[in-house]
Amino acid sequence: MTVKISHTESAKQFLDEASGLTNEAGNPRLKEVINAILHHTVQIIENLNISPEEFWAAVNFLNVLGARGEAGLLVAGLGLEHYLDLLLDAKDQQAGIEGGTPRTIEGPLYVAGAPMYDNEARLDDGQDPGTVLFMQGRVLDLAGQPLAGAVVDVWHANTHGSYSYFDGSQSAFNLRRRIVTDAQGHYRFRSIVPSGYGCPPDGPTQQLLTGIGRHGQRPAHIHFFLSAPGHRHLTTQINLAGDAYLHDDFAYATRDELIAEIHFNDDPKELVEKGLENRFAEINFDFVLHPSQKDDDEECRQRVRALEK
Ligand code: MBD
Ligand code: FE
């Protein structure tokens, strides 16, 4: 037998009280959000006949999720972060904004404050024996004109698929840099070819994904924040062509326009020129930014994420 009470006046009053709507203190926006969460939650409990055992299993899951620092991983894996992109895309479409490099998810592994360089930088600290990667390109406006002084904030994983800061064994800001474009809008960097990411196999996110019959793997990718005066901040990634998970990303970030060809080069003359012994990889990729519509869409909003350990 299913009993439902969430539609009753007394239940509504109770949830108003529990979300602080009946008091004068606190933050009105927070009250509104908490009230909606409570209403949706009790409806799920009623509609799906959630048992006390299931309820406490969920509470325990949240504790483990927090203790392991995986909340950001779960929202990516459940597609909620991609959903934010779909919503922003729909808003753009409605406003007639089109073209440019598409956005895709930020992911939970950005760290603010990476070292800043003019025009070019080396991202890796030389400790990872991965394939050397040279990536270069330009930042352009919608008319194809170069954007000088644009900031390319780049971050990616090492050959184990781990990110500095979150992986305490890497040096500070390894594989994280900000590069300012030159007068022709050029940026370039040397790094190593990243590997794809896999959710920690013993963690709560993978446990949940396994429970719904899914894997927790991402294709090899490189993250970017792009910003330039008078232009809209862009959060995006490139996904490396040829990866087995390219079209099977657990976080749904791959977009056709963001697939980057990677060329492996073992030309002896070029190896000598570059002072390298083994074959290296090259990626060329240009980014196209929209003009900013409002004052506040040039910068990325604050992120609650530590700068230093
Ligand atoms: C990543 O590297 C990532 O980019 C996302 C979205 C989720 C987990 C790991
Ligand atoms: Fe990533």
Side-chain angles (χ1 to χ4, degrees):
M1 187 185 55
T2 311
V3 178
K4 296 190 181 182
I5 56 169
S6 65
H7 59 282
T8 64
E9 191 54 33
S10 65
K12 183 183 171 300
Q13 280 174 14
F14 173 59
L15 297 183
D16 281 357
E17 154 64 31
S19 50
L21 286 170
T22 57
N23 73 55
E24 295 303 313
N27 176 329
R29 175 64 174 168
L30 182 61
K31 294 177 186 197
E32 182 186 24
V33 172
I34 295 297
N35 189 251
I37 291 173
L38 289 180
H39 271 281
H40 285 281
T41 306
V42 297
Q43 280 169 23
I44 292 168
I45 292 170
E46 284 180 349
N47 294 344
L48 301 184
N49 265 315
I50 299 295
S51 69
E53 286 66 33
E54 288 175 319
F55 179 88
W56 289 109
V59 171
N60 188 59
F61 179 83
L62 291 179
N63 274 337
V64 176
L65 191 70
R68 295 284 299 256
E70 289 192 9
L73 207 51
L74 185 69
V75 293
L78 290 181
L80 289 173
E81 219 193 329
H82 180 60
Y83 194 88
L84 296 183
D85 286 341
L86 296 176
L87 202 56
L88 289 169
D89 289 350
K91 282 185 185 167
D92 278 356
Q93 204 191 2
Q94 219 166 58
I97 298 174
E98 50 187 41
T101 304
R103 61 169 62 82
T104 197
I105 65 170
E106 172 176 335
L109 304 173
Y110 175 70
V111 175
M116 183 107 84
Y117 287 81
D118 280 333
N119 187 217
E120 60 183 338
R122 179 166 173 178
L123 276 53
D124 68 298
D125 63 7
Q127 298 300 302
D128 192 315
T131 304
V132 171
L133 166 68
F134 295 98
M135 178 164 172
Q136 61 175 5
R138 286 177 305 161
V139 181
L140 306 168
D141 68 13
L142 285 177
Q145 293 302 308
L147 292 172
V151 178
V152 179
D153 193 344
V154 49
W155 71 103
H156 69 79
N158 66 8
T159 54
H160 302 292
S162 350
Y163 286 78
S164 64
Y165 181 80
F166 301 94
D167 166 14
S169 75
Q170 295 180 46
S171 60
F173 291 113
N174 189 39
L175 311 179
R176 300 176 187 276
R177 290 293 182 277
R178 285 178 290 172
I179 303 165
V180 183
T181 57
D182 68 13
Q184 285 76 45
H186 285 287
Y187 72 89
R188 58 180 180 176
F189 62 81
R190 171 180 170 162
S191 194
I192 50 158
V193 178
S195 296
Y197 175 93
C199 290
D202 62 344
T205 303
Q206 186 56 62
Q207 183 196 359
L208 187 147
L209 291 170
T210 303
I212 58 175
R214 292 183 44 201
H215 68 72
Q217 305 295 315
R218 297 211 60 207
H221 60 279
I222 303 178
H223 297 265
F224 297 90
F225 279 169
L226 297 129
S227 54
H231 289 76
R232 192 163 81 162
H233 170 93
L234 175 66
T235 299
T236 196
Q237 314 177 13
I238 58 164
N239 298 280
L240 306 191
D243 193 293
Y245 290 100
L246 185 62
H247 296 292
D248 190 18
D249 177 4
F250 97 106
Y252 307 103
T254 306
R255 303 194 131 170
D256 289 344
E257 303 91 329
L258 299 174
I259 297 172
E261 295 299 327
I262 179 164
H263 301 283
F264 291 94
N265 191 334
D266 53 12
D267 180 62
K269 193 168 141 270
E270 290 200 48
L271 285 174
V272 172
E273 267 171 30
K274 293 192 151 61
L276 297 173
E277 278 165 20
N278 300 309
R279 73 174 194 159
F280 59 95
E282 293 171 298
I283 297 175
N284 289 307
F285 202 88
D286 292 344
F287 298 94
V288 180
L289 304 186
H290 285 274
S292 49
Q293 317 267 318
K294 319 182 234 63
D295 314 338
D296 66 345
D297 62 5
E298 290 183 26
E299 278 174 69
C300 181
R301 310 298 173 278
Q302 293 277 90
R303 292 286 177 269
V304 186
R305 217 161 299 167
L307 291 169
E308 286 167 56
K309 245 194 247 205

